[in-house]
Amino acid sequence: MYTNGQRLYDDKHFMDHLDHEVPIQIYLDGKHKDIGFVERVSEHFVRVNNTYYNRSMYWFVSRPGY
């Protein structure tokens, strides 16, 4: 499906992680901010651990097996 560390950016990427309960890691300015499961996805935001992260401000990577 996705490799560990693969960058996520497309709606399909986030929906796959939501549907299959694969964790993601979130970064801001190259620094780790959070890790967890996708709870909700919209055009502009991804909710992880009850926090909304702006998709244009943060970057997201796949963490299967975490």
Side-chain angles (χ1 to χ4, degrees), residues 4-61:
N4 191 27
Q6 182 176 342
R7 183 117 185 238
L8 309 175
Y9 53 86
D10 192 63
D11 288 344
K12 182 179 179 348
H13 298 162
F14 293 108
M15 290 306 299
D16 284 345
H17 282 70
L18 173 67
D19 293 342
H20 299 287
E21 298 180 342
V22 176
I24 66 170
Q25 192 163 5
I26 302 160
Y27 291 88
L28 177 64
D29 297 327
K31 295 179 185 172
H32 167 79
K33 290 297 174 189
D34 203 356
I35 192 165
F37 296 96
V38 176
E39 299 166 348
R40 185 170 236 182
V41 179
S42 74
E43 182 180 350
H44 300 287
F45 294 94
V46 175
R47 187 171 87 179
V48 174
N49 297 327
N50 209 30
T51 302
Y52 286 89
Y53 293 96
N54 186 310
R55 288 173 59 174
S56 65
M57 182 182 226
Y58 294 86
W59 53 281
F60 308 86
V61 297

